[in-house]
Amino acid sequence: MSSPSKRREMDVMKLMMSDYIVDTPNDRLNEFSVEFHGPKESFYEGGVWKVRVELPDAYPYKSPSIGFVNKIFHPNVDELSGSVCLDVINQSWSPMFDLLNIFEVFLPQLLLYPNPSDPLNGDAASLMMKDKKQYEEKVKEYCERYAKNNGKSVAEEDDSGEDEISDGHKQIACIDQAKISILITNVKKPATVFHFDHFQPANLVTLRTEDQSVIQALVTFMDKLAPMQTTTNWGWNISSDPCTSRWVGVTCDGSNVTVKKIVLENLNLSGTLDPGSLCKVSNLLVLSLNFNNLTGILSPEISNCNRLTHFYLTGNRFSGNLPDSITNLPNVKRIVISNNDFSGDLPDFSRTTSLLTFLAQNNQFTGQLPGFNYNQLQDFNIANNNFTGPVPDDTGRFDGNSFAGNPGLCGKVLPRSCPVKKKEKESKLRDFFIYSGYAVLGFLIVVLVTIMLVKRKKRGQNEKTDLSPKNSSRSGRSSESRNSKRSEFSLTSVENGGVSTSMVVLSSPVGNGLRFEDLLRAPAELISRGNNGSLYKVKPEGGVSLVVKRIKNWKISKDEFKKRMQKIDEIKHSNVLPVVAYYSSKHEKLLVYEYQQNGSLFRLLHGSQNGQIFDWGSRLSLASSVAAALAFMHRELQDDLIAHGNVKSSNILLKDDMEPCVSEYGLMPANHQDPGPSDQDPGPSRTQDRTTTGNFKGDVYGFGVVLLELLTGKPVQDNGSGLVTWVRAVVQEEWTGEVFDKALIVEGANEERMIRLLHVALNCINGSREARPMMGEVATMILSLKEEEERSMTSSDP
């Protein structure tokens, strides 16, 4: 799941993008204030309060603390500190809720339905129960005195004399639980699509906004964006005020005088960005033009927006260089320019000390990576560009995914290591020869001394010992003991009657003529090493390249292992990699496969794709093939209780034609951190599930994680538990669109079919094994999606 800091930022930004006025005094976004209006049809209607919010470090797993800064008369709000008792919200709070729930549901309900039976303000509670009319007058008196400022925003009032809000330790049941059951629920706003008229000249009028030239500049700025012409309720003309007339996408300060934010997203704008006009809005903090069709270059004049803190252009078609002047923005915190056609070298951001986020993936940038303050950055991604040279980040804060898809990049976090400089090589070579010379000289001295001592000792023994039969017998046994210090492979070979019988070659044609000694003599290259063994690439003389899987500490008898391998060898499927040969001894097992030079699905998704396109259709086709292969193997091997046991993207290899093949089938028990049945599952079915179909349902879980990798483009860590938790949380928050790989979004993949495949994945990773589908059902569902995709592609062809 995303980190608490990222979730905190996302929720605060979502609140800022709404109609609420938010004041954030620090960059960590852990404490801020919000302007809150009393709900209609309540005694508090017309009042405006500044509500301070504190987000704990564990947010969203722990609920926020809230309090009123200016005074309010309410039974459940402390009059002195303004703190709101949050027992009820603490009991109902879930990470799936966000800050909008607090201001759109909880606080309005709190003011509409006060509970005097268990108060924080005893005077308010007593007056409400004794004389409701006087209570109403008192509430209105407080509203008039403290919550109405003749049009001035309470967000700008000085609160230096007010007490701090509660830290959450004062826990009193403030509101009846039955009445509050609806308070913490997801609030969904209907999606609004805005369309714009072309601008019509009009006579300027006297307006409250900064000055007439700013309004004219804004109109010119919008005209360059080329909006569509439909209705007339958008504003954006020189005869109206951007603040008081509520221009679409414009947010002003609390006094409705200064434009602070311009957010025009998903509006199909198709023109160009004109910073020359835009930056005449001197107090602009936020500009977001995400997901439009804007083109052209980004002008160096963008640096004139010197108060800009958030700059978002993702999902457009901007091209050309990113101007060096962008690094001169003194207050910029977030720059997001991903999914465009920017090219050329990146400017040097090492002097931009305020920058916290820089996202520029999926562009065409070239050259070496410039300097950034990596220790300060919170989010960074330049994946899928054409950068070259070393990765300058030596902090280790960002993994390979932030730099992937740049074939020319090298570094510790990438598969490609940077070459050692020539002088460094020469120096190391010289040191090697010097120290090697010392070592050889020392070794020769030790050998000479040892030879002299041995000769002297032998001479003494020959003088004292005769060659009796008894001594001869003892000498023979000693020689035999010395000769017994052979490799385990050789010892096993002798026990089995010869080297040729120590390895069993199966029915794969690759194994024709293969001998065990061929493997031992061939040079071996270590590919990977894991908890259960190692993987080597071996090429016997005159043969094809092979992979040897060396398994340690698998507690299975030699006979059982033999039966298992023979049974797997009997079942053939074109998308399952066959075992060529196997070897078994007491301490280790060896499995031989044909080497697949195109690597694994994991490398294709998260490493360098080497120019290969892995689009939505390819991903869906691969998922269908793998599901069909696993379903076939499950069906054929169900009676033998042989599941795969370790389904993951690194065990799905790609053949020469890029068709997937499942490797390492049946090598070990289930290896995923499978959550297993929930505690609500009945006992007998849980026991039966673990003893019969448990491993098969474990395969279903592992395949579900693979589907999440295909859909999200995110790598798996901790056997997939982190990715599973993140996806579940995002889906529960109804931000499903945030799950999918941005490359699929940019490609224009069918969202309905992606969501349906996501539902298949969620069924596969169900916490209860019993609730998961069988692999055959999964294969059928994905095949149906694949066929729909193919039909849609066929029908769209000219």
Side-chain angles (χ1 to χ4, degrees), residues 636-656:
E636 296 298 320
L637 295 171
Q638 178 124 22
D639 293 341
D640 301 281
L641 299 180
I642 302 177
H644 185 289
N646 194 15
V647 176
K648 55 184 180 180
S649 58
S650 58
N651 278 340
I652 298 173
L653 306 182
L654 302 170
K655 296 189 286 189
D656 291 341

Side-chain angles (χ1 to χ4, degrees), residues 76 81 95 143 150 153 235 242 249 308 325 348 358 390 428 432 449 482 611 661 668 693 700 706 716 723 739 770:
N76 308 119
S81 68
C143 287
N150 297 322
S153 170
L308 197 65
S325 63
D348 186 353
F358 185 80
K428 288 185 176 180
F432 171 75
V449 173
R482 287 194 300 270
C661 56
M668 60 192 69
T693 63
V700 174
V706 172
V716 165
L723 179 60
V739 166
E770 196 171 68

Side-chain angles (χ1 to χ4, degrees), residues 579-611:
V579 180
V580 174
Y582 70 87
Y583 163 88
S584 177
S585 72
K586 180 178 180 181
H587 298 290
E588 67 180 348
K589 311 286 185 291
L590 299 180
L591 277 298
V592 182
Y593 296 93
E594 184 178 1
Y595 177 71
Q596 304 298 318
Q597 63 179 1
N598 284 329
S600 66
L601 171 61
F602 182 89
R603 194 178 76 173
L604 179 62
L605 272 171
H606 313 302
S608 175
Q609 296 185 8
N610 296 322

Side-chain angles (χ1 to χ4, degrees), residues 499-500 502-503 505 511-524 538-543 546 548:
V499 173
S500 62
S502 64
M503 183 176 70
V505 179
N512 287 340
L514 181 65
R515 298 180 303 168
F516 192 37
E517 55 263 46
D518 296 335
L519 292 180
L520 296 180
R521 283 198 298 262
V538 176
K539 186 172 183 180
E541 186 176 352
L546 301 171
V548 178

Side-chain angles (χ1 to χ4, degrees), residues 227-462:
M228 295 178 61
Q229 179 178 359
T230 52
T231 61
T232 58
N233 61 352
W234 54 272
W236 288 90
N237 60 64
I238 57 178
S239 62
S240 63
D241 186 283
C243 295
T244 58
S245 299
R246 293 188 177 275
W247 288 12
V248 167
V250 172
T251 302
C252 298
D253 64 351
S255 300
N256 278 337
V257 172
T258 302
V259 174
K260 293 289 188 182
K261 296 187 296 184
I262 296 177
V263 180
L264 301 167
E265 298 181 345
N266 286 297
L267 296 175
N268 201 30
L269 304 175
S270 58
T272 59
L273 172 59
D274 178 15
S277 300
L278 174 72
C279 295
K280 291 181 180 178
V281 184
S282 57
N283 293 309
L284 184 67
L285 301 179
V286 178
L287 175 66
S288 181
L289 301 173
N290 289 340
F291 306 112
N292 286 290
N293 292 303
L294 299 176
T295 57
I297 63 171
L298 180 60
S299 168
E301 292 178 285
I302 191 66
S303 61
N304 294 334
C305 295
N306 54 21
R307 295 200 63 187
L308 197 65
T309 60
H310 295 69
F311 185 46
Y312 302 109
L313 297 180
T314 191
N316 283 281
R317 292 185 291 144
F318 286 100
S319 57
N321 292 358
L322 195 65
D324 291 338
S325 63
I326 197 171
T327 63
N328 297 327
L329 290 171
N331 301 300
V332 68
K333 299 177 183 178
R334 322 282 179 190
I335 296 178
V336 182
I337 55 173
S338 51
N339 301 313
N340 278 284
D341 294 317
F342 285 112
S343 58
D345 295 348
L346 273 182
D348 186 353
F349 284 91
S350 58
R351 293 180 297 172
T352 311
T353 57
S354 60
L355 191 63
L356 301 176
T357 296
F358 185 80
L359 303 180
Q361 65 269 32
N362 301 318
N363 279 283
Q364 300 177 37
F365 287 112
T366 56
Q368 294 197 350
L369 275 177
F372 283 90
N373 293 308
Y374 289 102
N375 283 311
Q376 176 180 293
L377 285 172
Q378 296 174 355
D379 304 284
F380 181 78
N381 197 324
I382 50 90
N384 301 320
N385 282 280
N386 295 300
F387 289 109
T388 57
V391 172
D393 174 26
D394 57 359
T395 64
R397 297 190 64 200
F398 303 104
D399 59 21
N401 295 314
S402 295
F403 306 95
N406 291 278
L409 276 184
C410 62
K412 293 184 294 185
V413 297
L414 293 171
R416 180 170 175 260
S417 300
C418 295
V420 180
K421 293 181 180 179
K422 186 176 181 181
K423 288 184 177 180
E424 186 178 346
K425 279 186 175 180
E426 292 175 352
S427 175
K428 288 185 176 180
L429 188 61
R430 184 172 60 252
D431 292 343
F432 171 75
F433 282 121
I434 291 173
Y435 290 117
S436 297
Y438 288 143
V440 170
L441 182 60
F443 176 73
L444 289 175
I445 293 172
V446 172
V447 169
L448 289 173
V449 173
T450 303
I451 291 173
M452 292 174 63
L453 292 174
V454 169
K455 284 184 177 180
R456 184 178 298 175
K457 186 175 181 181
K458 281 187 176 180
R459 282 199 301 269
Q461 288 177 344
N462 290 336

Side-chain angles (χ1 to χ4, degrees), residues 759-773:
H759 288 164
V760 174
L762 293 174
N763 286 333
C764 291
I765 61 172
N766 194 300
S768 168
R769 286 188 182 91
E770 196 171 68
R772 294 174 202 158

